[in-house]
């Protein structure tokens, strides 16, 4: 029973370790998007994300007194402003991950 348990643990470590490197390879691949993805991102996604950022800012300002009373101003700012702003301005053109291309 000891050898089979050790073998199972070893297999689990190998599978989990491999999935981490595969995820990093997928992120690097996403950092090199196609020309079509770049065009679609520039003409469709970025303007819509910019509108979402402005809308989130407006909703945040309206809900600020209630967020302050509830003690979750940081969480509201993160969800309504920071997340759409990062997707709009920080993400490389055509990428799906909200990081700069040199950070991947």
């Amino acid at each position: 029973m000891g050898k089979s348990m050790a073998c199972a643990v070893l297999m689990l470590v190998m599978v989990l370790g491999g999935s981490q490197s595969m995820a990093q390879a997928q992120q690097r691949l996403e950092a090199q998007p196609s020309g079509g993805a770049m065009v679609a991102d520039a003409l469709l996604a970025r303007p819509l994300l910019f509108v979402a950022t402005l809308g989130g800012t407006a909703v945040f300002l309206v809900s600020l007194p209630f967020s302050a009373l509830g003690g979750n101003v940081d969480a509201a700012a993160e969800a309504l402003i920071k997340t759409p702003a990062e997707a709009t301005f920080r993400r490389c053109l055509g990428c799906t991950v909200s990081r700069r291309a040199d950070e991947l």
Side-chain angles (χ1 to χ4, degrees):
M1 180 85 163
K3 285 185 179 184
S4 62
M5 181 63 95
C7 184
V9 169
L10 181 62
M11 293 294 283
L12 182 65
V13 168
M14 288 173 50
V15 168
L16 292 177
S19 65
Q20 175 78 9
S21 63
M22 287 182 1
Q24 289 174 349
Q26 179 66 26
Q27 284 181 346
R28 275 188 240 110
L29 182 63
E30 288 176 354
Q32 300 169 355
S34 67
M38 289 181 179
V39 169
D41 191 15
L43 296 179
L44 298 174
R46 297 298 170 113
L48 292 174
L49 286 167
F50 182 69
V51 169
T53 302
L54 292 178
T57 302
V59 170
F60 173 76
L61 291 175
V62 169
S63 68
L64 185 59
F66 308 107
S67 298
L69 288 173
N72 64 339
V73 174
D74 292 338
E78 175 83 25
L80 295 173
I81 299 172
K82 186 178 178 188
T83 301
E86 281 185 348
T88 304
F89 299 110
R90 190 168 187 235
R91 180 170 58 90
C92 68
L93 192 61
C95 293
T96 58
V97 179
S98 291
R99 292 187 197 144
R100 293 172 38 144
D102 59 354
E103 293 176 349
L104 292 176

